[in-house]
Amino acid sequence: EKVAEKTDLARIITKAKVFKLVTEGGAVVGCVYEKGGQNFQEFGPVIFATCGFGADFTSNSLLAQYRPDLMHLPTTNGEHCTGDGIKMGEAIGAETIDLEWVQVHPTGLVKPDDADAKIKFLAAEAL
């Protein structure tokens, strides 16, 4: 963040969703993202600061692929934690490691009016 504040060599873009990596000669040279209903492109080095994938319970999810034994459990990951960044990287040939190491947090708060919700709030965050 400090680099981005002091120079134009780096930019931090928040509240945006990258949906395409721009490649050239096998290298990532930029990305295309959506923010506020509009698409934008950025060119230069791309650093992913992504979340996990514990909130994607679909049959083609990373959770289903690497830890199908956990699919029945709820998660304390936010709804946005669907592994999109990891999937984009894999789609262009990036290698991943240790995706089978998924933390299971036993302290999700249960909302009485939605006890069966797959996404729980982390109790430690509420205390």
Side-chain angles (χ1 to χ4, degrees), residues 4-5 10 13 15 19 43 48 64 66 68-69 72 77 84 94 96 106:
E5 292 171 2
I13 300 168
K15 309 276 188 219
F19 61 88
F43 294 95
F48 273 103
Y66 292 100
D69 57 311
H72 70 285
N77 285 179
D84 296 344
T96 59

Side-chain angles (χ1 to χ4, degrees), residues 20-77:
K20 180 181 179 184
L21 296 174
V22 179
T23 59
E24 185 176 286
V28 175
V29 297
C31 66
V32 183
Y33 66 95
E34 182 273 326
K35 181 174 179 157
Q38 293 184 289
N39 292 346
F40 300 91
Q41 293 184 347
E42 293 288 334
F43 294 95
V46 175
I47 299 171
F48 273 103
T50 68
C51 53
F53 53 86
D56 186 355
F57 296 103
T58 61
S59 61
N60 64 341
S61 69
L62 294 171
L63 190 62
Q65 181 179 350
Y66 292 100
R67 289 302 302 270
D69 57 311
L70 301 180
M71 290 286 288
H72 70 285
L73 296 174
T75 184
T76 54
N77 285 179

Side-chain angles (χ1 to χ4, degrees), residues 68-121:
D69 57 311
L70 301 180
M71 290 286 288
H72 70 285
L73 296 174
T75 184
T76 54
N77 285 179
E79 291 180 16
H80 59 280
C81 297
T82 56
D84 296 344
I86 298 167
K87 292 174 192 174
M88 271 191 291
E90 286 182 333
I92 62 163
E95 294 182 21
T96 59
I97 60 169
D98 297 333
L99 294 183
E100 71 278 6
W101 292 100
V102 176
Q103 180 182 17
V104 176
H105 220 292
T107 57
L109 288 177
V110 176
K111 292 169 58 178
D113 61 336
D114 195 11
D116 294 329
K118 289 291 278 182
I119 297 175
K120 309 285 188 196
F121 191 76

